[in-house]
Amino acid sequence: MNERQPARRPGGRSARVGAQVHQAVTDLISERGYGHFTVGDVAARAGVADSSIYRRWGDLESLLTDVALTRLNAQSPMPDTGSLAGDLRTYAAQVAREITGPDGPAVLHLAVALSSSGQKGLEAGADLRAERTRQMQSMLDRARDRGEHPPDAFEVLDHILAPMYIRVLFGMVPLPPDYIDGLVDRLL
């Protein structure tokens, strides 16, 4: 007798639960800060059982790491405007919108807290840097292929992303377009 396993649908209930849990974490970070809530608090806010969170993420730190990495790596496609300056301005404006949006500051604070919270946090920070570097490298490689002389990805991180992250972390928002363009101009 050949029993068929039901096909798992991408998305569906699992994706919905994941999104609810991620939003619950982001809301709790905004309201209470890092370290001031439990898996039970997240489950109650998301409307799911604690066991669902433990089964999927294992522990609170793994869940928090997943939220930070997912939210900070959720990027629009890398811009391709035809010039490095245009690409960097467009990319910087996209990042600025993401980190100053409703959940941006909470997610940045979470990433900073995780990066100092032990081995998993260090790994999360390394994963985030690797993903951001990979994203930027595609844009920089295109510029090199066009005959431009792009900086390396860490220079983009140091001169464009880091100043924006610091301003958001310290509540120095909004990030006006002339400020973002100035970061790009100073790098180039």
Side-chain angles (χ1 to χ4, degrees):
M1 181 172 182
N2 186 6
E3 288 187 38
R4 272 185 73 186
Q5 294 287 347
R8 291 197 68 172
R9 295 185 322 260
R13 183 178 186 282
S14 179
R16 206 170 37 256
V17 167
Q20 290 169 316
V21 169
H22 276 219
Q23 189 60 53
V25 166
T26 304
D27 293 345
L28 287 166
I29 290 286
S30 292
E31 294 167 16
R32 301 181 189 178
Y34 178 79
H36 299 285
F37 56 89
T38 65
V39 167
D41 296 328
V42 174
R45 176 70 61 100
V48 301
D50 295 21
S51 59
S52 294
I53 293 174
Y54 285 116
R55 185 172 42 254
R56 188 166 181 174
W57 287 280
D59 60 25
L60 184 59
E61 190 172 5
S62 295
L63 168 59
L64 297 175
T65 299
D66 184 52
V67 169
L69 290 174
T70 300
R71 294 284 175 108
L72 290 174
N73 282 328
Q75 289 271 319
S76 305
M78 292 308 287
D80 188 1
T81 64
S83 74
L84 179 59
D87 291 351
L88 286 172
R89 281 189 177 81
T90 302
Y91 176 67
Q94 288 172 346
V95 171
R97 277 191 302 276
E98 292 168 9
I99 64 175
T100 60
D103 297 335
V107 173
L108 278 181
H109 282 281
L110 174 59
V112 169
L114 284 171
S115 69
S116 61
S117 70
Q119 187 59 37
K120 281 187 184 178
L122 291 173
E123 291 169 6
D127 289 348
L128 177 60
R129 280 189 310 277
E131 180 59 20
R132 282 287 194 202
T133 300
R134 185 196 63 72
Q135 292 168 349
M136 289 185 288
Q137 195 60 55
S138 66
M139 175 177 52
L140 300 173
D141 289 346
R142 268 197 320 270
R144 189 171 289 105
D145 292 345
R146 288 190 299 259
E148 296 179 85
H149 301 287
D152 69 30
F154 283 109
E155 289 176 298
V156 175
L157 177 67
D158 286 343
H159 296 279
I160 296 176
L161 298 182
M164 291 192 303
Y165 286 178
I166 292 296
R167 281 186 172 235
V168 171
L169 287 169
F170 287 102
M172 299 166 62
V173 288
L175 300 175
D178 60 329
Y179 169 74
I180 295 166
D181 288 346
L183 293 174
V184 173
D185 292 342
R186 282 189 293 278
L187 173 63
L188 297 178

